[in-house]
Amino acid sequence: MWKQILSKLPRKSSKLDADSARTPTSGINTSSPGSGRANAASPAVKRAAVFPASAIAGIEPLLAFKDVPSSEKMNLFISKLSLCCVVFDFTDPVKNTPEKELKRATLLELLDFVSQNSTKFSEPAILASFKMCSINLFRDFPPSYRSSNTNLGENDNDSEPTFDPAWSHLQIVYDFLLKFVTSPSLEAKVAKKYINHSFILRTIDLFQSEDPRERDCLKAILHRIYGKFMVHRPFVRKSMSHVFYRFVFETEKHNGIAELLEIFGSVITGFALPLKEEHKIFLWRALIPLHKPKSLGVYFQQLSYCVTQFIEKEPKLAGGVIKGLLKYWPITNSQKEVMFLGELEEILEAINMAEFQKVMVPLFWRIGQCINSYHFQVAERALFLWNNDQVINLIAHNRHVILPIVLPALESNAQNHWNQAVLNLTLNVKKMFSEMDDALVLSCFSRYNEEQEKLNFTVKKRKEAWELLENAASRQPIAGNTAVLVTP
């Protein structure tokens, strides 16, 4: 088809002005697509030789929009869309170069027309538009896209992104789709028949792309679809939830989790109060388990934003969220521990006193463990919680419960921790407690010393018992099948 179109374009003559006509091999004026080809199209060309039977009869797609009357522009629009339904192979950069350039110029014309069009799009035009976008965008990614992230780890942010070689065309198609979906000339009542469940599912599947530029375009488009087509909102949320479920509980492989969470973050801000049970289920079953995968660092910022948005909407959710974080606490991953502590601080800034009191015992037991961490960044981040005025206020009102929990960790740090910065922070926290309630600190410290003496006494007695057993075993003669305690 493209060869037939190109064969009907005239060759550039030396007697003609350089701007009077252009062939694809000599370059196309992309700033004004199609303007140099207005006179190149022959009205006598038979449409049937170029397009399938579904194209509009009598409209030559190489004409520029400015060269046809307003009554024919929509038909020309459909013809140009049909022309762009041919997909080229971009793995070979020198293959079909003239055809690729002509298609790119036509795509730019279509983008310009959608941006400036003020008349309502007809249903055939809507159908042709979504057909063209579907043919160009919906595709199966090669195996490397699905296998390259087998071991997603902490340093995935440093990995080099993969760029699609067809981006010169894909970018224009994405821009066209975004302009088309957001155009006031597109009636949602008509377009919802073509932006259906299948179209939405295949759009969400494209978030698996390794090209960050493509995922960024998809993020904008899916967000606009969610905003314009209210009838599809529950299905969009459900489909995104399924992506999260598969990622957390099955594969732990997906490239677009951050972008999908970013969309959901803006969706949460529009939730009405009180929150529906559906939204709370999403928080418990999707967002909280998303803290579990090793690749948390790739999408942590977006995830934390979504969680805090829920708590700002309904503060009584904070206690359940903290319990969820404690359930998935990364005991052996120091970088994730630092992220969890940062998110905890944001939650504590929004939590009310009643919810805090429900979780403060297990929460500060875990914080005490972090204070004693030999990884200095974890210990520092835990001690930095005392720099937050809201956290200090919560601790001060519940100091009789919290101080006995964290004081042993503070004393252990003060005596044994290897890092000087952690040691200094520990002494500052102890000083803050003393200024807060010196009598309570002395009482807790006395109780701590008693417990330490009991512990030391128990250890001493155990050691003495073992020594007696070893001495007795060494004096006992070996006879028959008598068991013998062998010292290393």
Side-chain angles (χ1 to χ4, degrees):
M1 183 177 78
W2 283 95
K3 291 181 179 179
Q4 293 174 358
I5 293 174
L6 292 172
S7 67
K8 303 186 184 300
L9 294 175
R11 295 289 181 180
K12 186 174 180 181
S13 172
S14 58
K15 297 180 181 180
L16 296 177
D17 185 80
D19 296 328
S20 64
R22 290 176 180 263
T23 64
T25 54
S26 61
I28 293 178
N29 185 0
T30 57
S31 62
S32 179
S35 61
R37 301 191 304 276
N39 298 325
S42 172
V45 174
K46 294 182 179 180
R47 181 209 48 84
V50 179
F51 290 109
S54 61
I56 298 299
I59 299 296
E60 169 56 55
L62 294 182
L63 289 172
F65 283 105
K66 64 183 181 63
D67 293 333
V68 297
S70 299
S71 59
E72 293 295 325
K73 285 186 177 180
M74 201 58 67
N75 289 341
L76 178 59
F77 177 67
I78 297 174
S79 291
K80 289 182 180 291
L81 287 169
S82 299
L83 185 68
C84 293
C85 285
V86 179
V87 179
F88 296 103
D89 179 14
F90 282 83
T91 56
D92 184 356
V94 298
K95 184 179 180 181
N96 301 118
T97 302
E99 291 89 341
K100 291 175 183 176
E101 288 297 322
L102 181 55
K103 179 183 176 181
R104 186 174 187 278
T106 307
L107 287 170
L108 289 169
E109 285 186 273
L110 291 169
L111 177 60
D112 187 59
F113 177 78
V114 171
S115 302
Q116 299 179 7
N117 178 57
S118 58
T119 59
K120 295 293 182 183
F121 287 107
S122 64
E123 188 164 350
I126 296 173
L127 171 61
S129 297
F130 286 118
K131 179 183 177 183
M132 186 275 289
C133 293
S134 299
I135 290 173
N136 281 275
L137 300 179
F138 298 153
R139 62 205 190 277
D140 293 326
F141 296 114
S144 60
Y145 277 72
R146 303 191 181 276
S147 61
S148 59
N149 292 332
T150 302
N151 295 313
L152 289 173
E154 300 170 3
N155 300 320
D156 287 338
N157 287 322
D158 300 330
S159 60
E160 289 293 330
T162 301
F163 299 110
D164 197 307
W167 185 246
S168 59
H169 283 192
L170 290 175
Q171 181 182 19
I172 306 173
V173 177
Y174 275 120
D175 291 343
F176 170 88
L177 180 57
L178 180 61
K179 289 284 186 182
F180 190 70
V181 168
T182 58
S183 173
S185 302
L186 179 67
E187 293 186 26
K189 292 182 179 180
V190 180
K192 70 180 181 181
K193 294 191 297 185
Y194 305 104
I195 297 186
N196 52 23
H197 288 183
S198 175
F199 186 91
I200 292 170
L201 281 175
R202 298 195 71 181
T203 300
I204 292 176
D205 285 342
L206 290 175
F207 279 92
Q208 187 63 261
S209 170
E210 286 190 350
D211 194 327
R213 302 169 300 180
E214 182 169 13
R215 298 198 303 270
D216 195 55
C217 291
L218 286 164
K219 178 180 64 178
I221 291 168
L222 186 59
H223 192 192
R224 296 295 186 177
I225 289 175
Y226 185 91
K228 187 164 187 173
F229 299 92
M230 296 183 64
V231 67
H232 292 320
R233 288 183 180 181
F235 183 77
V236 172
R237 293 196 300 268
K238 181 179 178 181
S239 301
M240 292 168 65
S241 299
H242 289 167
V243 173
F244 297 144
Y245 296 151
R246 286 194 300 270
F247 172 70
V248 173
F249 300 109
E250 295 180 14
T251 64
E252 290 199 10
K253 303 174 193 174
H254 200 286
N255 297 309
I257 298 298
E259 288 79 8
L260 290 172
L261 283 172
E262 193 168 340
I263 296 171
F264 223 103
S266 61
V267 168
I268 294 169
T269 59
F271 285 165
L273 295 176
L275 291 175
K276 295 180 181 178
E277 192 64 23
E278 167 204 345
H279 304 325
K280 295 179 184 179
I281 289 174
F282 174 78
L283 172 63
W284 307 132
R285 296 184 181 177
L287 293 186
I288 300 302
L290 274 171
H291 290 81
K292 180 182 178 182
K294 295 179 181 179
S295 57
L296 173 66
V298 176
Y299 55 83
F300 174 74
Q301 183 178 357
Q302 293 83 356
L303 176 60
S304 179
Y305 177 78
C306 288
V307 172
T308 53
Q309 285 296 303
F310 265 107
I311 295 173
E312 288 179 8
K313 284 281 183 180
E314 202 163 304
K316 67 180 182 180
L317 296 173
V321 170
I322 290 177
K323 289 179 181 178
L325 293 180
L326 295 176
K327 176 183 177 181
Y328 291 106
W329 198 270
I331 299 174
T332 60
N333 189 322
S334 56
Q335 291 189 6
K336 286 181 66 176
E337 277 195 288
V338 172
M339 289 187 277
F340 271 53
L341 288 166
E343 187 172 359
L344 273 178
E345 183 172 359
E346 293 183 8
I347 295 171
L348 291 175
E349 287 177 351
I351 199 171
N352 57 46
M353 189 65 69
E355 288 298 316
F356 175 75
Q357 289 173 345
K358 293 178 184 178
V359 296
M360 61 183 178
V361 172
L363 172 61
F364 276 87
W365 182 87
R366 173 54 62 189
I367 291 174
Q369 298 295 311
C370 293
I371 289 173
N372 283 150
S373 173
Y374 283 106
H375 195 293
F376 76 97
Q377 290 179 332
V378 176
E380 271 187 341
R381 191 64 188 85
L383 292 165
F384 279 152
L385 291 173
W386 274 262
N387 291 341
N388 188 299
D389 292 337
Q390 175 64 14
V391 177
I392 287 292
N393 182 56
L394 293 170
I395 293 173
H397 282 83
N398 301 277
R399 59 186 180 276
H400 292 88
V401 177
I402 295 174
L403 183 56
I405 298 173
V406 299
L407 184 64
L410 294 173
E411 286 298 325
S412 177
N413 265 18
Q415 297 173 16
N416 303 316
H417 206 283
W418 64 273
N419 186 273
Q420 186 62 42
V422 172
L423 182 60
N424 293 337
L425 287 170
T426 301
L427 296 176
N428 288 339
V429 171
K430 288 182 63 179
K431 182 179 179 182
M432 292 174 67
F433 274 122
S434 297
E435 294 173 352
M436 193 182 297
D437 193 334
D438 189 50
L440 178 62
V441 171
L442 292 175
S443 174
C444 292
F445 185 71
S446 176
R447 192 180 309 122
Y448 167 76
N449 286 334
E450 292 176 2
E451 291 176 355
Q452 286 297 113
E453 289 178 2
K454 290 180 181 179
L455 180 61
N456 293 335
F457 179 75
T458 303
V459 171
K460 182 180 178 182
K461 295 294 289 184
R462 185 184 301 117
K463 185 177 179 181
E464 290 175 352
W466 277 108
E467 288 177 351
L468 288 174
L469 288 172
E470 289 175 357
N471 292 333
S474 63
R475 290 194 301 268
Q476 183 177 357
I478 300 176
N481 294 325
T482 305
V484 178
L485 176 64
V486 180
T487 58

